[in-house]
Amino acid sequence: MDNLKRRHPVPQPASNHSEEQHSEVIFHSQYEASSTPHIYSAYDEKQKLYKQPAQQHLVYSSNKYIAFCQRYHRVLIPAALTLISFWTRFRKIGWSNIVVWDEFGSHYLQHEFYFDVHPPLGKILVGLSGWLAGYDGSFGFESGHTYPENLNYTAMRVFNAFWGALLVPLAYLTARQFQMSYKASILAAMMVLFDTAYLCISRFILLDSMLLFFTSLTLYCLSVFHNLRGEPFSEKWWAWLAATGFSLGCVTSVKWVGLFVVALVGLYTVEDLWNMLGDRQMPKKTYVTHWLARISCLILLPISIYLFSFVLHFAILYRSGPGDAQMSSLFQARLVGNSFEKNPLEIAYGSKVTIKNYGYGGGLLHSHIQTYPEGSKQQQVTCYHYKDDNNHWVIRPPRHNDGSSNLFEPEDGSVVFIKDGDVVRLMHNPTGRNLHSHPINAPITSGQWEVSAYGNETVGDLQDNWRVEIVNDVAHNDKSRIRSLTTRFRLRHTQLNCLLTANNVVLPQWGFKQVEVICDKRNREDDPHTWWNIEEHWNDKLPPAPKNAYKSKFLHDFWHLNVAMWTSNNALIPDPDKEDILSSTPTEWPLASVGLRMCGWADDIIKFYLLGSPAVWWPSFFAVLIFVATAGFYIIRMQRKIFDLPSTQWEHFFFVGKTLFLGWFLHYIPFFIMGRVTYLHHYFPALYFTILMVPFLLEHFTANRSLRIQWAVFGTMYAIVIGVFIYFAPVAYGMAGPISQFSGRRWLKSWNLTD
């Protein structure tokens, strides 16, 4: 029976008796004498069990103001931290009246469809801030430009700073849920509060403050849910499990970086369910219910929120805009102001068209006067994701053996429609060149044939000919003819028997980073990247298509946009031909070895420098290394049957440390294997977990020390964090005048503050 007790101790809520025990917080020495959580002091050596400490009689100060603070400290401490956080975030927030870095906020107010590599929730919230500020969406938000007088950019910045300010009380509350003492929890909040990087990034119209808020909210909800594991299926248990899923859905709907915290919650859940599987006393029905609860709240709920953000995205952006070409042709046809509604329905010889690749992330068939630097050195053919006259092609009759071609213009003035199996020649309208392929290797995908633009109406050969092969039609049962938008077809080279293909391979700078077009010898007929459809269609001899001829499905549009986002995100690779003083590498982040200039650096501009506080970043990174070393030390000694910590204390230490370490690891290490360009702000979510590690380890190592030593350690950290913040605050609040007057703040040569 004693063994059963050790194996299944009755869990106690993590905060209730701990906070009762410490009710005299901050203002009475009796509180500090017992300020460490109960797991450090409630161990019964005789029975080898952890027990709740006996209820202590609470004695409040005779001073009514101090007594009030003692009685309501659980509300007053986070409230005070929140107020200070709001003050630091809102102070001088409208000082600079220019667009700083990537500030944005117009498309949702103009309802114009646009494309971005991030999910839409954060951008929708920014649009909401503009609507609340009375902004009409007419400003272009070009970096460095002055805001117009009718745009209340200060209100929009305050809206964004609100999310960043809430990060501070969340850090405090999360530390409390991890059973840290009040002084340790306050240190966690202070390190978030007084970090110049967090302060700076929160004060502009950017997505990062929302990303950080929902990341920290997820960790807080998870910590509360973990502490309720002894009350399964209670109302609070369900509420906090659902809250965790809700925050997961929100964080992934702001930026895909949120998937890293999804991975953290996923690992926690897998371990939790695995441990339950080993509990032979748990009924199978209960175990299955645990699975269903987590599937519902941690998988289905986040997916629903993510999908709903795109429902809003498509509903709000109902007008044609600059991002149309990233979407399928059918989707574009439903946008107000799009010219597709004027498209003639069926395609004929003589029609001028734009041709879109059907593969996810596919672009429009494109050519320009620039030639390939190697290979045939003929005119380049690419895929381009934006509307341009260089996307226009004219469908002409095929070449014959003698190089001539029929006019395909019947004497009665009728038109000849393109049918399945017909051979055509595609002439580039702006240059008069013909779409052409030949047995010369493609520039990047060298195992396939190059596609170029060659010749003209009179000069050419049989290698200008392409056979039309209809794949399907999403709106019509008749597949004998090609129709605008709805018919998907392949173009097969008549001489080489290869398929015109765009595999989302990006060309170098000489190809303007556009997508390579090849003639694929592998004949993969089921590959959507070999499928094409007619997008825009002009033919004066044909009438417009009937109304409501074009419709698209939400799930198809959702999937298409997400693949395009993924493709474009992966295309954001460093350009070796250009020097980028803004980008940085992951090795430069943990020790704040690099900063980022967020605007111009002229003397008459208010300058902002995104730089982490050394008093926050340096100890945070070393805390990660110290935890790994400490945990390894304990594990090795336990393997040798030397137990430095009682089992429950070790389990708590390892759970908190492991959670924070994995949060840092999952948010940081993946950037080493990403090919895309990286910036300092990519480290901010990982930093949050390491900040919480600092007070956690300080408390662990000082738990058995005297109260005087504990206060000396934490007081020193308070002073350092505040002092360094005061010194470096101008980099976040703005530096006016010559930058040379701030040269003393350049502690590291790698900081380009004054170069």
Side-chain angles (χ1 to χ4, degrees):
M1 194 65 184
D2 193 45
N3 288 335
L4 276 179
K5 289 181 181 178
R6 284 198 295 271
R7 185 178 176 188
H8 300 286
V10 179
Q12 300 294 340
S15 57
N16 293 347
H17 63 268
S18 177
E19 298 192 83
E20 290 288 341
Q21 174 186 352
H22 306 322
S23 169
E24 294 183 63
V25 240
I26 303 177
F27 304 101
H28 196 280
S29 60
Q30 181 182 350
Y31 156 73
E32 288 299 345
S34 60
S35 63
T36 51
H38 67 275
I39 61 165
Y40 294 111
S41 57
Y43 187 68
D44 188 326
E45 289 289 349
K46 184 175 181 179
Q47 297 189 32
K48 304 296 183 184
L49 290 173
Y50 280 82
K51 295 184 176 181
Q52 181 175 347
Q55 190 78 7
Q56 297 182 356
H57 178 65
L58 305 180
V59 179
Y60 296 111
S61 171
S62 58
N63 184 296
K64 64 178 181 180
Y65 300 108
I66 296 178
F68 176 83
C69 293
Q70 290 175 328
R71 184 174 288 108
Y72 298 107
H73 64 271
R74 283 176 287 183
V75 175
L76 292 176
I77 294 175
L81 289 168
T82 304
L83 290 175
I84 298 172
S85 182
F86 281 139
W87 181 79
T88 58
R89 269 58 184 171
F90 295 164
R91 178 176 177 265
K92 299 170 65 176
I93 197 168
W95 188 21
S96 176
N97 65 346
I98 66 171
V99 179
V100 176
W101 204 16
D102 289 334
E103 287 189 301
F104 67 99
S106 291
H107 292 291
Y108 285 97
L109 297 173
Q110 293 183 320
H111 304 287
E112 292 180 344
F113 191 84
Y114 78 108
F115 175 77
D116 190 73
V117 297
H118 301 302
L121 179 60
K123 296 171 289 184
I124 291 174
L125 291 173
V126 170
L128 173 63
S129 72
W131 180 77
L132 293 173
Y135 171 47
D136 61 6
S138 59
F139 183 60
F141 279 90
E142 296 180 28
S143 184
H145 284 215
T146 302
Y147 282 111
E149 293 183 0
N150 64 342
L151 199 167
N152 190 352
Y153 65 92
T154 300
M156 296 180 69
R157 286 178 178 174
V158 166
F159 181 89
N160 267 57
F162 175 82
W163 303 96
L166 293 180
L167 201 64
V168 175
L170 275 175
Y172 170 82
L173 294 172
T174 304
R176 290 298 298 148
Q177 288 299 322
F178 282 147
Q179 302 180 8
M180 297 185 207
S181 67
Y182 285 97
K183 59 179 175 288
S185 301
I186 291 172
L187 177 60
M190 286 179 62
M191 293 180 73
V192 174
L193 174 63
F194 294 124
D195 178 53
T196 47
Y198 277 173
L199 172 64
C200 188
I201 203 71
S202 298
R203 290 162 50 80
F204 299 106
I205 310 170
L206 303 168
L207 296 177
D208 299 271
S209 58
M210 299 175 198
L211 172 68
L212 290 169
F213 169 77
F214 287 118
T215 300
S216 63
L217 180 64
T218 300
L219 183 63
Y220 172 67
C221 293
L222 180 65
S223 65
V224 178
F225 174 73
H226 175 78
N227 290 334
L228 291 169
R229 63 195 183 281
E231 306 174 39
F233 311 118
S234 64
E235 290 185 4
K236 290 193 297 182
W237 186 92
W238 276 108
W240 285 104
L241 180 62
T244 305
F246 173 81
S247 58
L248 287 176
C250 290
V251 73
T252 52
S253 299
V254 173
K255 280 189 177 184
W256 279 349
V257 172
L259 291 172
F260 298 145
V261 79
V262 171
L264 176 65
V265 174
L267 290 174
Y268 169 85
T269 303
V270 168
E271 182 184 16
D272 195 27
L273 292 171
W274 178 257
N275 291 335
M276 290 180 192
L277 185 63
D279 187 351
R280 300 180 64 182
Q281 294 185 352
M282 180 179 289
K284 294 180 180 178
K285 182 179 179 181
T286 302
Y287 183 67
V288 171
T289 306
H290 275 289
W291 268 91
L292 294 177
R294 286 157 177 80
I295 291 172
S296 300
C297 293
L298 300 182
I299 298 178
L300 297 181
L301 179 58
I303 290 176
S304 299
I305 293 171
Y306 187 76
L307 284 168
F308 182 67
S309 71
F310 282 89
V311 171
L312 290 177
H313 182 68
F314 293 147
I316 297 172
L317 303 180
Y318 58 84
R319 297 182 185 276
S320 178
D324 292 9
Q326 291 283 355
M327 296 300 294
S328 70
S329 303
L330 277 178
F331 174 86
Q332 295 178 56
R334 72 174 183 82
L335 296 174
V336 175
N338 197 293
S339 61
F340 293 175
E341 61 186 12
K342 301 177 182 178
N343 278 1
L345 185 61
E346 296 184 339
I347 312 300
Y349 287 99
S351 291
K352 184 172 72 173
V353 297
T354 61
I355 306 173
K356 184 175 177 63
N357 186 263
Y358 185 72
Y360 292 114
L364 294 160
L365 190 65
H366 177 94
S367 186
H368 39 239
I369 60 173
Q370 285 77 14
T371 59
Y372 290 111
E374 302 292 340
S376 68
K377 298 187 178 181
Q378 294 174 0
Q379 187 169 301
Q380 297 175 18
V381 172
T382 65
C383 266
Y384 187 52
H385 287 101
Y386 300 93
K387 294 182 179 180
D388 188 286
D389 287 346
N390 280 326
N391 302 333
H392 296 170
W393 300 83
V394 178
I395 301 178
R396 304 295 297 158
R399 297 280 187 199
H400 298 306
N401 288 330
D402 59 0
S404 64
S405 61
N406 297 331
L407 294 179
F408 275 71
E409 294 180 356
E411 295 180 358
D412 59 1
S414 62
V415 297
V416 177
F417 292 103
I418 306 296
K419 302 184 297 299
D420 185 24
D422 282 353
V423 177
V424 300
R425 174 170 54 89
L426 295 174
M427 184 186 74
H428 187 237
N429 192 61
T431 63
R433 305 291 185 188
N434 301 305
L435 186 70
H436 183 90
S437 188
H438 37 223
I440 296 175
N441 292 337
I444 306 300
T445 312
S446 57
Q448 309 303 326
W449 298 136
E450 176 193 90
V451 174
S452 65
Y454 166 74
N456 52 42
E457 184 63 35
T458 58
V459 176
D461 54 36
L462 295 177
Q463 298 192 116
D464 298 338
N465 294 343
W466 301 83
R467 178 174 288 106
V468 175
E469 299 178 351
I470 294 178
V471 177
N472 57 37
D473 193 301
V474 297
H476 302 86
N477 293 325
D478 179 13
K479 300 178 184 179
S480 62
R481 293 183 179 180
I482 295 183
R483 298 175 179 85
S484 301
L485 305 179
T486 62
T487 303
R488 298 159 188 169
F489 58 89
R490 294 182 295 268
L491 289 172
R492 185 182 297 278
H493 196 266
T494 57
Q495 303 301 304
L496 301 175
N497 199 36
C498 52
L499 296 175
L500 189 70
T501 305
N503 272 327
N504 290 327
V505 176
V506 178
L507 292 169
Q509 191 60 49
W510 55 257
F512 306 100
K513 300 290 184 179
Q514 295 173 11
V515 175
E516 180 188 40
V517 173
I518 59 173
C519 201
D520 195 326
K521 298 179 287 186
R522 294 168 292 186
N523 284 305
R524 297 185 298 184
E525 297 183 352
D526 294 331
D527 183 359
H529 293 95
T530 67
W531 300 356
W532 303 81
N533 66 264
I534 300 299
E535 191 163 273
E536 293 181 278
H537 178 202
W538 298 270
N539 194 318
D540 294 337
K541 296 181 179 180
L542 297 173
K547 291 186 176 181
N548 300 320
Y550 309 124
K551 295 181 180 179
S552 62
K553 297 179 180 179
F554 167 75
L555 288 179
H556 177 270
D557 295 336
F558 164 80
W559 185 252
H560 191 108
L561 179 54
N562 275 263
V563 173
M565 288 158 54
W566 175 266
T567 302
S568 297
N569 192 63
N570 288 340
L572 298 175
I573 57 176
D575 187 348
D577 299 327
K578 292 184 179 180
E579 181 182 3
D580 187 355
I581 64 170
L582 299 179
S583 63
S584 55
T585 61
T587 56
E588 297 174 299
W589 301 340
L591 293 176
S593 302
V594 66
L596 189 151
R597 296 181 180 182
M598 300 187 70
C599 57
W601 228 237
D603 290 349
D604 59 343
I605 293 177
I606 300 170
K607 296 167 280 295
F608 299 91
Y609 194 61
L610 189 63
L611 178 68
S613 169
V616 175
W617 288 51
W618 294 351
S620 297
F621 177 63
F622 287 120
V624 174
L625 303 181
I626 292 171
F627 167 75
V628 172
T630 304
F633 173 79
Y634 286 149
I635 291 172
I636 291 172
R637 285 174 63 83
M638 283 190 290
Q639 183 66 21
R640 294 180 57 81
K641 310 304 179 185
I642 303 172
F643 300 95
D644 299 284
L645 302 175
S647 60
T648 304
Q649 186 177 338
W650 160 251
E651 289 172 4
H652 172 75
F653 171 81
F654 192 63
F655 163 72
V656 176
K658 175 182 62 179
T659 301
L660 297 178
F661 173 79
L662 285 176
W664 170 81
F665 184 90
L666 292 170
H667 284 83
Y668 176 52
I669 299 302
F671 286 101
F672 283 94
I673 58 177
M674 289 185 185
R676 62 154 294 165
V677 62
T678 53
Y679 300 97
L680 179 62
H681 68 275
H682 288 143
Y683 186 66
F684 289 0
L687 173 68
Y688 181 77
F689 295 90
T690 63
I691 286 176
L692 292 175
M693 187 77 84
V694 174
F696 172 67
L697 289 182
L698 284 179
E699 185 157 75
H700 176 75
F701 290 123
T702 62
N704 297 322
R705 301 295 181 180
S706 67
L707 182 62
R708 178 176 298 178
I709 292 177
Q710 291 181 24
W711 269 114
V713 171
F714 281 92
T716 301
M717 281 299 300
Y718 294 158
I720 293 174
V721 170
I722 294 174
V724 173
F725 168 76
I726 293 173
Y727 185 65
F728 279 93
V731 304
Y733 285 122
M735 298 172 285
I739 195 62
S740 58
Q741 61 184 319
F742 300 95
S743 59
R745 290 168 176 81
R746 188 186 181 191
W747 286 7
L748 300 179
K749 291 183 179 180
S750 55
W751 296 351
N752 62 341
L753 182 64
T754 56
D755 288 343

